[in-house]
Amino acid sequence: MKKSVLVTGAGGFIGSHLVKKLKQEGCWVRGVDLKSPLFSKPAADDFIIGDLRDPQLCKKVVDQPFDEVFQLAADMGGAGFVFTGENDADIMHNSALINLNMLEVCVKNKVKRIFYSSSACMYPEHNQMDPDNPNCSEDSAYPANPDSEYGWEKLFSERLYLAFNRNYGIEARIARYHNVFGPEGTWCGGREKAPAAVCRKVAEAKDGGEIEIWGDGLQTRSFLYIEECLEGTLRLTRSDFKGPVNIGSDEMIAINSLAKLVIEISGKKLSIKNISGPQGVRGRNSDNKLIGQKLGWKPSQSLRVGIEKTYSWIKEQVEKNAKD
Ligand code: NAD
């Protein structure tokens, strides 16, 4: 019998890639989202457009004991969406409702396993002040002090999944993703994240010009290519280890250096202008000790390989847009 899998948030960046991968594996896949994937046709056997804040929709969607559920739906975006404060109430309310509804119906319908995508944004701000030496080991999460409401909701929902696991027996698996990027991700409009925003700015810039980077550019991050994110997600979901565990790259880079890398890949001559803008914590990097120990695997691809593929895809989008 084919494995039956549900992906919520299947119209989004990670969800749409995950559906394709599950189809390649031979699973029967249902996808759900407010919208279809923006850059490719839905690959799911069944794609339901609907709002997971509505418990009735959740009941309709979870009408069978799926072998695996991947809960990726969330009201989210990059620094320009999450760190301005303007979207805090919606972010907390919408994502918490989705998680509350989904867990209830999954337990009622005897779903076997559920994966939940938490975020590195749940780590305490005070451990991420030094750009050269952030601490994001899993056991540093408490006492909690995320720097955004997005991070607080993730922390609450992690606990919710663990509580449902404890009290109702549903197998929960929790990953803390660190900045996932790749082709077919949001690249414009205000919800895009740093790698996509930098690729777009470089692709749009005229040779000899300049690009703007938020903050002094010395803030550091690591970025995980989508293929490795999917590999880690499937390995964790099918393991005996519940998490929460980091799924991220440990190749830390300053944002100005990321910009320099993209400029080099583009072949253009551009200068960088640092301007004020939302930027989040000063430093963040994935600590991959635990995932290595528990899964015998960790992301290892170099940032450059993923950025080359992503820049090439975003450049195509920019050129298409310019023609339209
Ligand atoms: P995304 O925004 O591309 O995908 C999320 C999807 O959820 C969107 O397509 C959106 O329409 C859908 N959604 C939102 N509200 C909904 C609702 N009420 N009903 C139905 N669908 C709804 O984001 P993504 O990058 O694919 O992220 C997937 C998950 O991973 C999210 O939970 C996110 O918080 C988490 N995460 C992502 C990253 C990253 O770098 N991309 C990092 C950490 C955590």
Side-chain angles (χ1 to χ4, degrees), residues 113-172:
R113 261 165 206 249
I114 187 161
F115 169 88
Y116 173 58
S117 50
S118 181
S119 162
C121 287
M122 49 61 62
Y123 283 115
E125 185 177 19
H126 54 255
N127 287 339
Q128 302 172 82
M129 305 295 255
D130 176 356
D132 298 322
N133 205 14
N135 177 10
C136 291
S137 65
E138 286 81 352
D139 59 5
S140 70
Y142 297 95
N145 181 27
D147 72 328
S148 65
E149 303 303 352
Y150 170 73
W152 278 105
E153 190 282 327
K154 289 292 188 193
L155 201 59
F156 162 76
S157 289
E158 282 188 4
R159 299 190 70 96
L160 187 71
Y161 280 79
L162 292 174
F164 268 71
N165 181 202
R166 207 158 48 239
N167 296 160
Y168 296 112
I170 184 166
E171 289 287 348

Side-chain angles (χ1 to χ4, degrees), residues 8-16 32-37 48-54 57 71-77 94-95 98 115-121 150 153-154 175-181 184-186 191 193 224 226:
T8 47
F13 167 50
I14 301 173
S16 57
V32 187
D33 203 298
L34 290 170
K35 57 171 174 59
S36 292
I48 298 179
I49 300 277
D51 189 337
L52 295 160
R53 291 172 303 177
D54 173 5
L57 187 268
Q71 200 313 81
L72 302 171
D75 199 358
M76 64 97 65
N94 294 343
S95 298
I98 295 170
F115 169 88
Y116 173 58
S117 50
S118 181
S119 162
C121 287
Y150 170 73
E153 190 282 327
K154 289 292 188 193
R176 293 174 179 160
Y177 286 158
H178 289 242
N179 282 313
V180 186
F181 74 100
E184 301 189 11
T186 306
R191 286 191 186 228
K193 298 183 152 206
L224 181 69
I226 181 69

Side-chain angles (χ1 to χ4, degrees), residues 28 41 132 138 213 283 293 301:
W28 184 90
K41 288 204 184 89
D132 298 322
E138 286 81 352
I213 295 292
Q293 274 166 20
Q301 201 178 77

Side-chain angles (χ1 to χ4, degrees), residues 45-322:
D45 297 277
D46 182 26
F47 194 93
I48 298 179
I49 300 277
D51 189 337
L52 295 160
R53 291 172 303 177
D54 173 5
Q56 296 311 320
L57 187 268
C58 292
K59 271 191 202 158
K60 184 175 142 196
V61 160
V62 186
D63 59 355
Q64 53 181 290
F66 285 101
D67 295 310
E68 294 170 348
V69 171
F70 294 87
Q71 200 313 81
L72 302 171
D75 199 358
M76 64 97 65
F81 183 74
V82 165
F83 297 120
T84 60
E86 284 164 24
N87 306 300
D88 286 351
D90 285 347
I91 287 173
M92 296 189 89
H93 176 261
N94 294 343
S95 298
L97 271 184
I98 295 170
N99 289 312
L100 289 161
N101 287 342
M102 280 300 294
L103 274 165
E104 192 181 354
V105 290
C106 285
V107 166
K108 277 197 182 133
N109 279 286
K110 303 196 167 36
V111 164
K112 293 173 190 76
R113 261 165 206 249
I114 187 161
F115 169 88
Y116 173 58
S117 50
S118 181
S119 162
C121 287
M122 49 61 62
Y123 283 115
E125 185 177 19
H126 54 255
N127 287 339
Q128 302 172 82
M129 305 295 255
D130 176 356
D132 298 322
N133 205 14
N135 177 10
C136 291
S137 65
E138 286 81 352
D139 59 5
S140 70
Y142 297 95
N145 181 27
D147 72 328
S148 65
E149 303 303 352
Y150 170 73
W152 278 105
E153 190 282 327
K154 289 292 188 193
L155 201 59
F156 162 76
S157 289
E158 282 188 4
R159 299 190 70 96
L160 187 71
Y161 280 79
L162 292 174
F164 268 71
N165 181 202
R166 207 158 48 239
N167 296 160
Y168 296 112
I170 184 166
E171 289 287 348
R173 299 290 181 267
I174 302 169
R176 293 174 179 160
Y177 286 158
H178 289 242
N179 282 313
V180 186
F181 74 100
E184 301 189 11
T186 306
W187 61 278
C188 62
R191 286 191 186 228
E192 64 278 17
K193 298 183 152 206
V198 173
C199 287
R200 187 199 67 233
K201 288 175 188 183
V202 170
E204 284 173 347
K206 292 222 163 59
D207 207 4
E210 68 178 13
I211 59 160
E212 292 182 341
I213 295 292
W214 288 347
D216 60 10
L218 303 180
Q219 67 273 28
T220 53
R221 293 292 185 276
S222 70
F223 301 99
L224 181 69
Y225 191 59
I226 181 69
E227 274 168 20
E228 291 203 292
C229 168
L230 299 182
E231 183 67 30
T233 299
L234 294 175
R235 282 176 186 257
L236 173 64
T237 304
R238 294 162 186 176
S239 79
D240 292 334
F241 179 51
K242 290 186 208 326
V245 66
N246 293 326
I247 295 189
S249 159
D250 57 6
E251 186 183 341
M252 191 168 79
I253 186 169
I255 298 299
N256 275 353
S257 304
L258 171 73
K260 283 181 196 151
L261 174 66
V262 179
I263 292 169
E264 191 201 315
I265 288 169
S266 76
K268 295 183 185 178
K269 287 212 162 36
L270 300 173
S271 55
I272 295 170
K273 183 181 176 194
N274 290 105
I275 57 161
S276 69
Q279 44 174 310
V281 293
R282 286 300 287 162
R284 178 171 290 154
N285 194 13
S286 184
D287 182 319
N288 287 350
K289 278 193 272 320
L290 188 64
I291 192 168
Q293 274 166 20
K294 297 291 182 182
L295 301 186
W297 174 91
K298 56 187 173 183
S300 59
Q301 201 178 77
S302 79
L303 174 65
R304 189 186 183 100
V305 171
I307 290 288
E308 279 172 353
K309 293 182 194 163
T310 308
Y311 178 73
S312 151
W313 181 80
I314 291 182
K315 185 167 165 269
E316 263 174 43
Q317 308 308 305
V318 167
E319 287 165 358
K320 252 192 240 161
N321 263 29

